Amino acid sequence: MTKNRIAIFKFLIVLGMISFFTWGFFEIADDYQDQEIRHFDSIIIEGIQNHVSPFWTHIMLGVTLLGSVKWIVILTSMTVMLLFLFKHRLLAVYVAVSISCGGLFNWLLKWIFKRERPDIEPIIQEQGYSFPSGHSMGSFIFYGTLAFILFKLYKQKWAKIFGALLAIFLVFFIGISRIYLGVHYPSDIVGGFTAGAAWTTISIITYHFLDIRRKRLE
């Protein structure tokens, strides 16, 4: 297979991924009051909240902290500084821009859709709109970005696989924690994941384009 065909093949895969994630997001966003989505939400909420206990509440409060704005801002700042320190300047800029703009994008989506939070008994109190989940979207972008950095900087396969699996594990359970704590519908979580996946994919493609251009200018 020639280089041009490989490039076209990769482009089609990426385009397909972005299209799939975007389609998934708008399937939910188009009408989250739809009977099927409401039924999906109620089944998942009941299944998760049937296991509410002091032990799991303590665990979920810790898990949800890993997707909070404060935590992500702190870790993003540390990551950017370390990348600059080790002279990975383009990666540092990519991390800073992708994550900060991703947060603004989530705020914009919440403002557009204005979905109220669940009317069930919440374990914690949250302000603002519900769709898409900021914790889910933000954690997908942040931990997905960290996994991408591992793929770029480490040659060992075990490190790449471990980073990817850890990112998936964290993002998934952060989403579960938001349902458990009663502050999001499951459809909010799925909406956050799909929007975060689309944003992360677009950000990575943008990084690759800039990296190729930088190398040509050197």
Side-chain angles (χ1 to χ4, degrees):
M1 189 179 289
T2 65
K3 288 185 178 181
N4 285 339
R5 288 185 177 179
I6 292 174
I8 292 171
F9 181 68
K10 288 180 178 179
F11 173 77
L12 290 175
I13 290 177
V14 170
L15 184 62
M17 289 173 61
I18 295 172
S19 300
F20 175 75
F21 294 137
T22 303
W23 169 81
F25 177 82
F26 281 105
E27 274 293 294
I28 299 171
D30 185 51
D31 190 1
Y32 42 71
Q33 297 298 334
D34 183 79
Q35 188 62 36
E36 288 184 7
I37 293 179
R38 291 172 67 90
H39 182 63
F40 165 78
D41 283 340
S42 62
I43 289 176
I44 301 299
I45 289 172
E46 183 178 354
I48 291 176
Q49 293 205 329
N50 278 343
H51 296 87
V52 170
S53 69
F55 171 78
W56 281 114
T57 297
H58 180 74
I59 296 294
M60 291 301 176
L61 287 172
V63 170
T64 205
L65 180 64
L66 299 178
S68 67
V69 173
K70 184 177 180 180
W71 178 258
I72 289 178
V73 167
I74 291 172
L75 288 188
T76 298
S77 300
M78 292 173 61
T79 302
V80 169
M81 286 189 291
L82 285 172
L83 288 171
F84 265 113
L85 182 65
F86 288 98
K87 303 189 184 307
H88 299 292
R89 293 183 178 85
L90 184 58
L91 267 177
V93 173
Y94 156 71
V95 170
V97 173
S98 177
I99 294 173
S100 59
C101 290
L104 292 174
F105 185 43
N106 177 257
W107 175 85
L108 177 62
L109 290 174
K110 284 178 178 285
W111 181 81
I112 290 172
F113 294 104
K114 294 184 171 71
R115 187 186 195 184
E116 298 297 332
R117 291 188 182 270
D119 56 3
I120 55 180
E121 185 88 23
I123 296 174
I124 61 173
Q125 295 295 324
E126 291 282 13
Q127 302 298 318
Y129 294 114
S130 188
F131 181 86
S133 164
H135 274 65
S136 298
M137 184 174 171
S139 62
F140 197 109
I141 294 171
F142 176 70
Y143 293 108
T145 297
L146 291 187
F148 172 68
I149 291 172
L150 283 177
F151 270 78
K152 288 293 295 181
L153 300 183
Y154 285 85
K155 294 182 180 179
Q156 298 92 336
K157 276 191 175 181
W158 69 266
K160 296 179 180 182
I161 294 172
F162 175 77
L165 291 177
L166 182 60
I168 291 169
F169 177 83
L170 286 173
V171 170
F172 176 76
F173 277 99
I174 287 169
I176 293 295
S177 74
R178 305 305 285 170
I179 302 169
Y180 177 95
L181 296 171
V183 292
H184 277 295
Y185 296 100
S187 52
D188 295 335
I189 305 304
V190 177
F193 286 163
T194 53
W199 181 268
T200 303
T201 305
I202 292 170
S203 297
I204 290 173
I205 295 307
T206 303
Y207 168 82
H208 276 299
F209 172 78
L210 294 174
D211 191 36
I212 291 170
R213 187 175 180 183
R214 176 184 62 85
K215 288 176 180 177
R216 286 177 179 173
L217 293 173
E218 288 179 348

